[in-house]
Amino acid sequence: MIKRRAPIRDHQAEAALFASRSIVALVVVIAVFAGLLFNMYHLQVLQHEQYQTRSNDNRIKVVPLAPNRGLIYDRRGRILAENRPVLSLEIIPERVPDLADTLRRLTELLELTEQQLAQFEENRRRERRFDQVSVLERLTEQQAARFAVRQHEFPGVSIEARLIRHYPHGEALTHALGYVAKINRNDVQRLRANQQDANYAATRTIGKLGIERFYEEQLHGNVGSQQIEVDIRGRAVRTLSVQPPIPGQDLILELDLELQQYVYDLLGDMRGSIILMDPRDGAIRAMVSKPSFDPNWFVQGISNEQYRSLLNSRHSPLLNRSTQGGYPPASTIKPHLAVLALEQGIITPQSKIWDPGWFEIKGVDHRYRDWLSWGHGWVDVDTAIVESCDTFYYDIALQMGIDTISEHMMQYGFGELTGIDIHEEAAAVMPTRGWKRARFNQPWYAGETVSIGIGQSYWTSTPIQLAVATATLINRGVRPVPRLLRSISDGHVELPAVVEQKPPVVIKNQANWDVAIRAMNRVVSSIKGTAHRAFNGASFTSGGKTGTAQVRSIAQGETYNAEEIEEQYRDNAMYMGYAPAVNPEIIIMIAVENAGGGGSVAAPLARQILDYYFALEAAHANL
């Protein structure tokens, strides 16, 4: 069998095939490199700025810096609210090998409470592992010393210096100043709604009540920032730049610290409110509400036990009685009603009414008693104010009617907010027929009008409303807007509360103001005046009106005896006054709960306070 010889290889064809394949491969490589080069050009040139920014965002972190809160001073430059440095114990969880064991040993060393540990856990859940989380925000010197000695045993735990709000005068100013507390969920929602949340990025507290809340925008300031370079895990490497925060503005208030402290101490264990106000411009010199509480409790987080004690107290220390307490105005409004009766022509300065000690509505078998059981005899408007004759006002109130009374008294500000520069204010109740129908679905009765004539029935007012109404009367119709703010740190007064002036009380006969004011002066100066005993021998002239407000009605034939009824049902003692009698510079309004008569309790307090006020003004004038 003949073997077939292998064909001779065609080297030329193979070379041509290799060359063609090489060209194809080269074209593919060139195309790939061209695509890579184009993509590099696109990234490095066309989109350089975009990716550079994204790279910086991963490398550079902007950290907000909280501004220092503005300070609050009284009218003489004494500090009322300050920022005090404290030592805060803080943990970086990432640097702690065994967090549970560390917390256990810290508890043994520093006596941490369960609430403090629970607050730490809540804060830790909101922060990243490499951020500082506060464990104890106000270390005592002993705690700081104990920890410093053993700090080497606690990696990841350190003591940091912070500024926190502090109220050096505690309870005496709480209801005027308010307080700051930690920002909660409701605060965050409100800030977002107002597009202010970015300005609070580094802030831990916010104004909750009083001046602190009302002027929060001015007190807070503007957030700053610092740019820091971070590694791939977000840890700070170095600081690149700093934009310092703008501190909040300082506030100067109209309050006088010495006067406020004196009034607060004078009230002692009594419950109620005392306000001193300049009738010419509404400047509040003192505003005390008792009982009160220490606002410093809220700054770093009030304990459950402390908060329950405030919330469950039957004396309601959280209530600002000066602006939210609803009291029957009682006889303090008799001068205002007298002006109205004169204006309506129901009486004249010479008109007299016989007072046998009681008043009856025709066809009604009920007697409305005067506080003086045997009566005042023949009474004109001057005597009715000076001796506080109830029967006189029963009569004129019934003749005027509830519609006329309500419409006129609303002009003094009863039944509406006064506009004082704190948010915690109630309108109280100036009753009308419509109000009663809406509230009780009942008609208005004549007997209720009779009680309205002596400031009782459904009529309630706040002490600040009564202070404004008193100022309006002695200003002959000009109604001031009460205010706590005197000026802001730049020296210019800015009052968001005063968006417009309150309309004046307009009457046809200006002499009717004088009738009421002369009678109020005689309440103090006349031997028959209900405040004469309290002000006898005073070094200044004054005027005023006492009031004794019934908390519980007395049945027909029943006799009021304070010793036989529970304290909470005893009469409130009221006094509203002013001094000097001519061109008054100060208004005083006192409401003391369940304390007794206005002439026997409230008026003597007013005398002591006004004595102190004029002595204080004289002392400062001589400095």
Side-chain angles (χ1 to χ4, degrees):
M1 183 175 181
I2 301 174
K3 293 183 178 180
R4 180 176 298 178
R5 297 177 58 184
I8 300 173
R9 297 177 63 180
D10 189 346
H11 295 285
Q12 195 172 17
E14 289 180 355
L17 179 62
F18 177 77
S20 63
R21 288 178 176 178
S22 297
I23 292 172
V24 170
L26 180 62
V27 170
V28 170
V29 170
I30 291 173
V32 170
F33 272 95
L36 290 174
L37 288 173
F38 177 78
N39 194 43
M40 289 179 62
Y41 174 79
H42 181 75
L43 294 175
Q44 298 292 332
V45 178
L46 298 182
Q47 291 188 314
H48 170 76
E49 292 185 1
Q50 175 184 346
Y51 286 101
Q52 180 67 39
T53 301
R54 292 175 63 180
S55 174
N56 287 339
D57 287 343
N58 291 330
R59 181 177 63 88
I60 300 172
K61 178 181 177 183
V62 178
V63 178
L65 299 175
N68 291 338
R69 193 171 183 85
L71 307 180
I72 303 177
Y73 300 90
D74 84 335
R75 64 192 297 251
R76 304 191 194 279
R78 291 163 297 202
I79 193 74
L80 304 180
E82 62 184 347
N83 300 320
R84 183 170 287 186
V86 296
L87 297 178
S88 174
L89 185 70
E90 301 189 357
I91 292 178
I92 301 178
E94 184 187 56
R95 299 181 181 177
V96 179
D98 188 339
L99 184 58
D101 179 66
T102 297
L103 290 174
R104 179 186 60 79
R105 290 186 291 121
L106 284 173
T107 300
E108 294 176 355
L109 179 64
L110 304 177
E111 300 176 354
L112 302 179
T113 65
E114 292 184 4
Q115 182 181 356
Q116 290 167 339
L117 293 174
Q119 185 65 50
F120 167 75
E121 287 298 329
E122 182 179 343
N123 294 340
R124 185 171 68 90
R125 286 193 293 269
R126 292 200 301 259
E127 303 292 344
R128 293 168 295 187
R129 286 185 54 81
F130 49 80
D131 285 337
Q132 288 182 320
V133 183
S134 175
V135 182
L136 188 58
E137 294 187 332
R138 190 179 296 185
L139 285 169
T140 65
E141 293 182 2
Q142 293 79 8
Q143 288 174 321
R146 287 202 299 267
F147 177 79
V149 171
R150 299 177 55 182
Q151 185 170 359
H152 63 281
E153 302 176 12
F154 296 93
V157 185
S158 62
I159 294 178
E160 303 292 335
R162 305 281 183 192
L163 283 178
I164 66 165
R165 201 60 154 180
H166 180 71
Y167 304 98
H169 307 289
E171 299 180 356
L173 287 151
T174 299
H175 290 106
L177 293 185
Y179 57 82
V180 300
K182 290 185 178 179
I183 295 175
N184 57 32
R185 187 175 301 174
N186 293 333
D187 297 321
V188 172
Q189 291 175 350
R190 185 174 70 253
L191 290 170
R192 286 176 179 170
N194 296 328
Q195 298 182 343
Q196 294 178 317
D197 51 318
N199 199 36
Y200 284 77
T203 304
R204 297 183 177 185
T205 60
I206 192 171
K208 297 286 187 175
L209 290 176
I211 286 291
E212 290 278 25
R213 181 185 175 193
F214 196 90
Y215 293 105
E216 169 64 28
E217 183 176 348
Q218 290 82 2
L219 287 166
H220 178 261
N222 294 319
V223 68
S225 64
Q226 64 177 352
Q227 287 187 332
I228 59 173
E229 187 175 358
V230 297
D231 60 18
I232 59 173
R233 302 187 66 179
R235 298 185 184 87
V237 176
R238 60 174 174 149
T239 300
L240 302 177
S241 65
V242 176
Q243 180 181 350
I246 300 174
Q249 295 175 293
D250 297 339
L251 303 186
I252 297 91
L253 303 187
E254 293 286 3
L255 291 172
D256 188 305
L257 176 59
E258 290 177 86
L259 185 62
Q260 177 85 10
Q261 190 69 59
Y262 177 81
V263 172
Y264 182 84
D265 294 339
L266 186 65
L267 261 179
D269 294 330
M270 293 185 286
R271 302 182 306 278
S273 166
I274 299 179
I275 297 172
L276 284 95
M277 183 182 79
D278 190 328
R280 298 165 295 189
D281 59 5
I284 302 292
R285 297 285 181 247
M287 187 173 76
V288 169
S289 174
K290 262 195 153 181
S292 184
F293 58 92
D294 188 348
N296 294 301
W297 287 357
F298 286 86
V299 176
Q300 293 302 312
I302 188 171
S303 69
N304 291 331
E305 181 180 354
Q306 288 172 323
Y307 189 66
R308 281 196 302 268
S309 70
L310 296 176
L311 200 61
N312 298 330
S313 172
R314 66 187 182 91
H315 298 312
S316 304
L318 294 172
L319 177 72
N320 186 345
R321 285 164 162 79
S322 296
T323 58
Q324 296 174 306
Y327 301 95
S331 296
T332 60
I333 47 76
K334 287 178 178 177
H336 306 77
L337 289 173
V339 172
L340 176 58
L342 290 165
E343 273 290 292
Q344 295 291 313
I346 292 173
I347 60 172
T348 68
Q350 294 76 35
S351 299
K352 291 187 178 182
I353 295 174
W354 175 252
D355 172 24
W358 47 268
F359 177 81
E360 284 183 333
I361 302 174
K362 291 182 180 180
V364 177
D365 186 20
H366 180 84
R367 285 188 171 182
Y368 297 87
R369 293 173 293 189
D370 194 289
W371 69 268
L372 190 61
S373 60
W374 54 85
H376 298 267
W378 288 105
V379 181
D380 60 14
V381 64
D382 182 85
T383 304
I385 294 174
V386 172
E387 300 181 23
S388 198
C389 174
D390 293 336
T391 303
F392 183 91
Y393 285 92
Y394 292 148
D395 188 17
I396 65 172
L398 188 61
Q399 292 186 63
M400 290 186 293
I402 185 61
D403 299 324
T404 300
I405 293 174
S406 297
E407 181 181 355
H408 182 74
M409 287 301 169
M410 286 178 181
Q411 295 181 49
Y412 289 95
F414 292 108
E416 66 177 48
L417 303 180
T418 64
I420 188 172
D421 45 350
I422 58 175
H423 291 296
E424 302 77 52
E425 185 181 10
V429 177
M430 183 67 248
T432 63
R433 295 178 190 276
W435 172 87
K436 190 185 177 190
R437 177 65 71 180
R439 179 70 174 81
F440 300 105
N441 194 27
Q442 294 176 356
W444 188 268
Y445 299 109
E448 293 165 339
T449 303
V450 171
S451 295
I452 286 291
I454 60 167
Q456 294 282 169
S457 186
Y458 301 110
W459 192 352
T460 61
S461 62
T462 62
I464 192 65
Q465 285 176 337
L466 284 168
V468 170
T470 304
T472 304
L473 181 61
I474 65 172
N475 288 341
R476 292 168 171 77
V478 178
R479 181 175 158 194
V481 177
R483 58 185 175 89
L484 290 162
L485 181 67
R486 184 183 184 91
S487 66
I488 300 182
S489 54
D490 59 6
H492 296 91
V493 176
E494 299 178 18
L495 297 175
V498 188
V499 294
E500 61 180 355
Q501 292 297 320
K502 300 291 184 180
V505 179
V506 179
I507 64 175
K508 294 173 290 185
N509 187 352
Q510 296 298 308
N512 291 332
W513 295 120
D514 299 327
V515 173
I517 293 171
R518 279 196 303 267
M520 292 170 68
N521 293 343
R522 281 175 28 82
V523 167
V524 173
S525 63
S526 171
I527 194 170
K528 291 187 176 182
T530 55
H532 175 73
R533 179 177 295 182
F535 283 88
N536 189 28
S539 60
F540 53 87
T541 60
S542 70
K545 185 69 192 76
T546 59
T548 303
Q550 290 183 356
V551 176
R552 187 183 70 172
S553 60
I554 302 173
Q556 191 79 40
E558 182 182 346
T559 302
Y560 174 81
N561 188 333
E563 296 180 358
E564 294 180 356
I565 63 175
E566 296 181 40
E567 181 189 3
Q568 59 183 329
Y569 298 123
R570 296 173 187 170
D571 294 343
N572 294 336
M574 315 284 286
Y575 184 79
M576 62 89 162
Y578 52 88
V582 178
N583 298 323
E585 65 180 68
I586 197 70
I587 289 283
I588 185 166
M589 178 60 222
I590 298 179
V592 186
E593 297 175 11
N594 315 123
S600 59
V601 176
L605 286 175
R607 166 66 185 279
Q608 289 179 262
I609 293 169
L610 291 175
D611 280 342
Y612 185 85
Y613 167 80
F614 284 110
L616 188 63
E617 290 296 302
H620 283 288
N622 293 328
L623 291 180

